[in-house]
């Protein structure tokens, strides 16, 4: 546990909140598939004096003085990112995944141009053109979907048809609630046919790509990858844009990030990205990524054995989507609350063709990146999945939930978050 001694001395209200969160993370298990625990080294960089520095521009061409050390920091992050993903260019300045996607859209398109992306109710992300976002007012978004929600197979014939009809500038592969591998070759073939760029939003699976346990879209000729750095990749909260080989695209992306949509880069976060990418280049990261998948498969088995419907029929990655309303008669919101009470954190989620609403949907989404960071393996994943089902089946039984909470706490005590991963 961190001491926060200076905060304690000068700001007790904030101190109490931080200690509360420290305890919550220690005593409960995190199954939100987009979350993780970072190393102390990442946190040191994140909390470093680089937060003091303005560094508009890029290494070797900054607009402010005093850049003796910022260039070295940013170059390290760029070189490591390129090595991890097999890219020629990397922009490590995006403040998050949404900023990365926005900059990518502005780099590759003019207002009014069209993007073909995954339907949001079938696993796509808000930044892929949700009607409530500003980006949706600037660009035109058309959709592809799963052909069969029970297997997760994408309808590539429909994707091709929509591409031919709408001539998109970008065909976007990527998701935030989809558990199967995509057929990247099909995306590339269709994009070639209609003259579109191929972009993969790999925020959720970046760590799995870096660890070589799922396919890398660049191996199929994708032009660009956007990602966050804090999910499976286990870095600080932030974003990144990678370009496979085109200098022309990379230049457009750099301009779109700064001065296009952002000001001074957050150099402390870029330093923390460099640390995290260094960790992901370490051979042990491959084991970590492999274990994420094994743990997800162990959870899949328990849910399947209990006859709980999994969207896509199971998982090829780190996450699972379960139709708990259809299978157990408990809503996603009720499940989230009951599980929170026993120290298991996950999120309610809409499922494809959901008849319920976003704030109280039919599904839950959960995954294994954070629990795997704690060193938990298949036995613990199996136990947690069993406890989840027991909790959902007994959501109104306070005694049962107290009993389960104790078991979760004991498990967490045995698996503290490590300080270092290398
Ligand atoms: N909020 C992230 C997630 O949970 O998937 C995506 O932005």
């Amino acid at each position: 546990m961190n001491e926060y001694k200076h905060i304690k001395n000068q700001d007790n209200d904030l101190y109490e909140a931080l200690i509360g969160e420290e305890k919550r993370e220690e005593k409960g298990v995190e199954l939100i598939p987009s979350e993780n625990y970072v190393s102390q080294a990442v946190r040191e960089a994140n909390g470093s004096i680089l937060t003091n520095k303005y560094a508009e521009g890029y290494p070797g061409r900054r607009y402010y003085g005093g850049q003796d050390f910022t260039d070295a920091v940013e170059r390290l992050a760029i070189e490591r990112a390129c090595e991890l993903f097999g890219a020629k260019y990397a922009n490590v300045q995006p403040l998050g995944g949404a900023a990365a996607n926005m900059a990518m859209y502005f780099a590759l398109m003019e207002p009014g141009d069209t993007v073909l992306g995954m339907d949001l109710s079938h696993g796509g992300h808000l930044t892929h053109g949700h009607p409530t976002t500003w980006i949706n007012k600037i660009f035109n978004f058309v959709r592809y979907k799963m052909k069969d929600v029970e297997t997760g197979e994408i309808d590539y014939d429909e994707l091709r048809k929509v591409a031919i009809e709408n001539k998109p500038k970008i065909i976007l592969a990527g998701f935030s609630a989809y558990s199967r591998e995509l057929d990247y070759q099909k995306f590339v073939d269709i994009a070639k046919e209609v003259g579109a760029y191929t972009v993969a939003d790999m925020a959720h699976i970046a760590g799995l790509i870096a660890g070589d346990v799922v396919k890398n879209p660049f191996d199929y000729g994708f032009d660009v990858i956007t990602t966050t750095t804090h999910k499976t990749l286990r870095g600080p909260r932030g974003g990144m844009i990678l370009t496979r080989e085109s200098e022309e695209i990379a230049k457009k992306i750099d301009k779109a990030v700064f001065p296009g949509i952002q000001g001074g880069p957050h150099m402390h976060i870029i330093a923390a990205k460099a640390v995290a990418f260094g960790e992901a280049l370490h051979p042990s990261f491959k084991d970590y990524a492999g274990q994420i998948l094994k743990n997800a498969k162990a959870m899949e088995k328990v849910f399947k054995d209990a006859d709980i419907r999994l969207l896509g029929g199971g998982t090829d990655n780190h996450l699972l989507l379960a139709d708990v309303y259809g299978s157990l008669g408990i809503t996603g919101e009720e499940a989230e609350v009951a599980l929170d009470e026993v120290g298991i954190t996950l999120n309610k989620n809409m499922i494809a063709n959901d008849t319920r609403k976003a704030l109280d949907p039919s599904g839950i989404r959960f995954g294994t990146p954070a629990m795997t960071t704690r060193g938990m393996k298949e036995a613990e994943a199996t136990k947690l999945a069993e406890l989840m089902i027991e909790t959902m089946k007994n959501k109104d039984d306070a005694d049962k939930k107290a009993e389960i909470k104790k078991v979760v706490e004991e498990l967490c005590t045995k698996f503290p978050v490590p300080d270092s991963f290398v």
Side-chain angles (χ1 to χ4, degrees):
M1 186 133 91
N2 283 274
E3 285 184 38
Y4 302 110
K5 68 176 182 214
H6 296 94
I7 298 176
K8 189 177 182 186
N9 281 342
Q10 72 185 53
D11 192 337
N12 198 56
D13 291 345
L14 184 71
Y15 174 76
E16 295 290 339
L18 285 173
I19 291 299
E21 176 62 12
E22 289 256 351
K23 287 196 181 135
R24 189 193 71 79
E25 292 194 15
E26 199 178 286
K27 290 188 171 176
V29 66
E30 189 54 72
L31 294 184
I32 293 176
S34 48
E35 293 190 14
N36 214 328
Y37 307 108
V38 298
S39 68
Q40 288 290 340
V42 166
R43 285 167 59 170
E44 275 176 16
N46 213 9
S48 71
I49 51 166
L50 283 165
T51 192
N52 297 338
K53 190 74 198 100
Y54 256 125
E56 281 100 328
Y58 291 98
R61 46 198 173 99
R62 307 275 189 192
Y63 289 84
Y64 287 40
Q67 308 294 340
D68 304 4
F69 304 103
T70 49
D71 281 5
V73 168
E74 190 163 346
R75 283 196 177 109
L76 278 177
I78 289 170
E79 281 161 19
R80 290 174 186 173
C82 288
E83 188 180 341
L84 265 181
F85 293 93
K88 206 161 164 195
Y89 304 96
N91 187 307
V92 295
Q93 295 191 4
L95 303 179
N101 278 343
M102 205 191 316
M104 173 274 291
Y105 292 141
F106 282 118
L108 302 180
M109 296 192 292
E110 294 298 325
D113 282 346
T114 297
V115 182
L116 171 54
M118 190 188 269
D119 192 275
L120 306 174
S121 67
H122 282 222
H125 187 248
L126 277 177
T127 60
H128 302 171
H130 191 274
T132 55
T133 61
W134 283 104
I135 215 75
N136 187 269
K137 302 187 194 327
I138 299 171
F139 302 109
N140 175 39
F141 288 85
V142 291
R143 313 275 175 215
Y144 57 87
K145 287 186 173 185
M146 289 182 266
K147 181 150 112 191
D148 179 355
V149 295
E150 305 308 327
T151 64
E153 193 196 345
I154 299 292
D155 192 340
Y156 292 102
D157 294 333
E158 177 72 8
L159 193 158
R160 180 169 175 269
K161 193 167 153 254
V162 178
I164 290 168
E165 276 167 17
N166 292 277
K167 296 272 172 295
K169 275 273 166 61
I170 293 171
I171 298 185
L172 185 58
F175 46 80
S176 63
Y178 179 75
S179 58
R180 292 301 191 187
E181 278 260 41
L182 296 172
D183 187 340
Y184 297 120
Q185 191 60 54
K186 289 211 166 88
F187 282 85
V188 169
D189 292 344
I190 295 167
K192 271 199 188 124
E193 206 178 331
V194 300
Y197 293 112
T198 35
V199 177
D201 177 346
M202 296 290 99
H204 263 263
I205 59 169
L208 305 179
I209 295 172
D212 255 344
V213 296
V214 301
K215 294 185 258 176
N216 182 342
F218 280 157
D219 292 342
Y220 299 82
F222 265 61
D223 298 305
V224 172
I225 290 179
T226 60
T227 185
T228 52
T229 48
H230 49 269
K231 298 186 172 90
T232 46
L233 194 49
R234 209 163 55 182
R237 195 155 287 278
M240 168 164 74
I241 308 174
L242 302 153
T243 305
R244 183 173 53 90
E245 66 168 16
S246 163
E247 188 180 2
E248 190 194 336
I249 293 178
K251 279 186 172 159
K252 286 184 185 168
I253 283 169
D254 282 354
K255 270 194 201 152
V257 173
F258 172 83
I261 62 164
Q262 288 189 182
H266 291 185
M267 290 311 304
H268 56 306
I269 303 282
I270 292 175
K273 286 174 184 170
V275 175
F277 300 161
E279 291 172 355
L281 282 166
H282 194 272
S284 62
F285 195 82
K286 284 194 185 347
D287 299 335
Y288 166 62
Q291 192 64 48
I292 290 177
L293 296 192
K294 286 184 200 161
N295 288 351
K297 277 286 174 203
M299 294 188 119
E300 174 193 297
K301 181 169 183 329
V302 177
F303 272 72
K304 278 186 163 173
D305 288 351
D307 283 331
I308 298 176
R309 178 176 176 241
L310 293 172
L311 276 287
T315 184
D316 297 325
N317 58 30
H318 62 301
L319 73 79
L320 297 115
L321 256 179
D323 175 7
V324 289
Y325 188 66
S327 304
L328 298 172
I330 176 172
T331 71
E333 167 70 6
E334 287 168 340
E336 183 188 292
V337 169
L339 288 160
D340 241 345
E341 283 167 9
V342 303
I344 297 175
T345 311
L346 47 65
N347 64 280
K348 56 183 168 281
N349 216 96
M350 295 281 277
I351 57 172
N353 311 322
D354 209 328
T355 50
R356 301 184 60 83
K357 297 268 183 284
L359 280 175
D360 196 9
S362 297
I364 54 171
R365 185 189 71 152
F366 55 102
T368 53
M371 62 163 289
T372 306
T373 290
R374 291 180 94 131
M376 294 183 186
K377 295 207 162 68
E378 289 96 315
E380 290 76 33
T382 300
K383 181 77 196 161
L384 280 170
E386 288 167 356
L387 291 173
M388 285 168 68
I389 295 170
E390 213 181 331
T391 305
M392 289 189 283
K393 285 187 172 166
N394 294 282
K395 73 173 169 59
D396 298 319
D397 183 338
D399 291 342
K400 188 81 191 165
K401 284 189 286 185
E403 211 178 281
I404 296 173
K405 187 178 166 74
K406 232 174 121 219
V407 178
V408 171
E409 267 186 41
E410 278 163 15
L411 188 63
C412 289
T413 310
K414 277 196 219 149
F415 292 91
V417 179
D419 284 349
S420 162
F421 312 126
V422 293

